[in-house]
Amino acid sequence: MAGAEAHHQHRDVQGGWLRPAVFGAMDGLVSNLGLISGVAGSSASSQTIVVAGMAGMAAGAFSMAAGEYTSVAAQRELVLAELAVERAELTRHPEDELAELAGVFEARGVEPGLAREVARQLSVDPEQALEIHAREELGVGPADLPSPLVAAASSFGAFALGALLPVAPYLLGAASLWPAVLVALVGLFVCGALVARVTARPWWFSGLRQLALGAAAAGLTYLLGTVFDTAVG
């Protein structure tokens, strides 16, 4: 038949590496654009803005990396502990675990006798049995555990890259805030457009939305910097 071989593909709903990288870069862009906008609003010199921007980049990148490492490591340790419990149960109470797995298949509409036979065959290999039980009960497989080091390194790099963009025009000799704002807003639009790869939104909508949010953050912090400068002065 003409359409017998037709297939369809789904988006990566977890975002893969793109989602954390893009959002890390956007975080760096928005936070550092806001920081240097606030400092610029206080009539600070270009040198002061550069120092503030580089300090914000370093502090934010290290903070992101440390937070991501701690979060992923804690999650990994929790899952490993639960996997150890499941492995011990499979060794001590194999019949109970077999019945539990058969019950899962029955709940999905499989005939009881067939469900038990499928569970029995899948449980022949202990590692396969562990993976199936883990996916059914924990929602994650032993091979899917993220690396804390990779998570920390990617967060550090993405945030630092995003945070560097608003500072780059000053490093290249700019004397006003506008080149930094322009570069940052272009970067935010690109990041927003990339996010559309893991959503159903059009690329231009995601790009403009992120650009608007970044512009609002920069405008508000610039205004606050002006107010604080006036109050202190």
Side-chain angles (χ1 to χ4, degrees):
M1 294 179 62
E5 295 299 320
H7 299 283
H8 67 280
Q9 293 182 334
H10 292 289
R11 290 184 178 90
D12 178 4
V13 296
Q14 294 182 336
W17 61 269
L18 179 64
R19 185 189 61 82
V22 170
F23 280 103
M26 284 198 296
D27 193 7
L29 265 166
V30 173
S31 61
N32 226 27
L33 175 60
L35 174 63
I36 66 173
S37 296
V39 176
S42 67
S43 303
S45 66
S46 296
Q47 182 180 4
T48 301
I49 294 172
V50 169
V51 171
M54 296 303 289
M57 180 188 73
F62 281 116
S63 177
M64 284 284 291
E68 194 71 15
Y69 181 91
T70 302
S71 174
V72 173
Q75 178 189 10
R76 182 184 178 89
E77 289 162 3
L78 175 60
V79 173
L80 287 174
E82 292 301 312
L83 288 174
V85 171
E86 191 63 38
R87 183 179 279 108
E89 287 298 308
L90 285 167
T91 302
R92 290 198 295 257
H93 307 292
E95 285 301 317
D96 291 340
E97 293 297 309
L98 182 64
E100 184 180 300
L101 187 57
V104 170
F105 296 138
E106 286 183 47
R108 294 181 178 177
V110 180
E111 186 270 330
L114 179 58
R116 184 168 181 83
E117 178 60 20
V118 171
R120 186 192 65 77
Q121 292 187 30
L122 291 175
S123 299
V124 170
D125 181 356
E127 290 304 313
Q128 178 176 256
L130 175 64
E131 180 170 352
I132 295 171
H133 278 276
R135 290 191 183 281
E136 292 295 335
E137 298 174 32
L138 303 175
V140 65
D144 298 334
L145 297 180
S147 165
L149 286 175
V150 171
S154 60
S155 294
F156 181 94
F159 185 97
L161 179 62
L164 182 62
L165 284 180
V167 189
Y170 283 102
L171 294 174
L172 295 175
S176 69
L177 179 63
W178 294 113
V181 171
L182 179 61
V183 169
L185 293 182
V186 170
L188 284 169
F189 180 86
V190 171
C191 286
L194 286 175
V195 170
R197 292 191 57 181
V198 292
T199 68
R201 292 288 189 180
W203 63 268
W204 57 265
F205 176 87
S206 295
L208 289 175
R209 178 175 59 183
Q210 196 56 45
L211 186 152
L213 291 172
L220 287 172
T221 50
Y222 183 88
L223 179 62
L224 287 173
T226 303
V227 171
F228 293 153
D229 183 55
T230 302
V232 173

